[in-house]
Amino acid sequence: MRVLLWAGVLCVYPLLAHYVVMQGRLDLAAVLQILLVAFIAICLPGKAKWPPLASLPLLVLLYILRPEWLLYTLPVLINLLLCFLFGRTLRTGAEPFISRIARLERGELPLELAVYTRRLTWMWAVFFALMALACLYLAVFAPLALWSLFTNLLIYVLVGLLFFGEFAYRRLRYRHYPHASPLQVIGRIFADAQEQKPRN
């Protein structure tokens, strides 16, 4: 049920946000951003909810001062946060994020899969860093319509292409291993987050 709720929000929010921006209602678009962060905070388990919760007063203050500042800044910050969440698991002695998900799915990882999932964690970290740079560049140099099209629509398409494209590649490259479907992987991530909740 939680996966379906997230999927529904992620389908409706980008379209609604882009429509509102195209209507010239930057203040309303900023309100939608704040509501999205609040939704994320409510849905995240344990300590993971505190960063978005703690950011809400600052977001509200930015909205009061200059809604357009919030509008342009938040996509950059969200992508930097995602980059950090993947990147911090690549430090020495830590288990890469995607390696953990793969291990929960199949148990102890063979060496070739351990190497692959570490590289894949690197790829996602770099991807979100590039998305943050693209959002910043478009905010400074591009027309509002192009910025909105990228941050509210195209970026989600790129995430989907990378996610499902990697799955297709992995099924071909490592066909001698069983693979969970993308929806099963997403469900496993949410289930793992819930299992971590009592320990936080």
Side-chain angles (χ1 to χ4, degrees), residues 77-103:
L77 295 179
I78 289 176
N79 280 284
L80 287 177
L81 176 61
L82 290 169
C83 175
F84 170 75
L85 291 177
F86 280 86
R88 71 189 179 94
T89 66
L90 292 166
R91 67 186 187 276
T92 302
E95 183 178 32
F97 179 82
I98 296 177
S99 299
R100 173 175 173 78
I101 300 305
R103 181 174 57 79

Side-chain angles (χ1 to χ4, degrees), residues 162-190:
L162 182 57
F163 182 79
F164 289 103
E166 182 281 322
F167 174 74
Y169 168 79
R170 178 164 29 96
R171 286 292 300 267
L172 292 173
R173 174 66 178 82
Y174 299 102
R175 61 173 62 90
H176 47 291
Y177 293 108
H179 299 280
S181 72
L183 289 180
Q184 288 173 324
V185 172
I186 294 172
R188 177 65 261 179
I189 293 173
F190 277 96

Side-chain angles (χ1 to χ4, degrees), residues 59-124:
L59 298 182
V60 172
L61 178 61
L62 275 175
Y63 172 78
I64 294 172
L65 295 176
R66 295 288 294 271
E68 63 271 22
W69 290 358
L70 172 60
L71 195 65
Y72 286 124
T73 301
L74 195 58
V76 177
L77 295 179
I78 289 176
N79 280 284
L80 287 177
L81 176 61
L82 290 169
C83 175
F84 170 75
L85 291 177
F86 280 86
R88 71 189 179 94
T89 66
L90 292 166
R91 67 186 187 276
T92 302
E95 183 178 32
F97 179 82
I98 296 177
S99 299
R100 173 175 173 78
I101 300 305
R103 181 174 57 79
L104 290 171
E105 173 193 338
R106 64 178 74 248
E108 194 65 28
L109 295 179
L111 179 59
E112 62 177 341
L113 288 185
V115 172
Y116 175 75
T117 52
R118 182 176 182 82
R119 290 174 177 170
L120 191 56
T121 304
W122 266 109
M123 183 178 72
W124 278 104

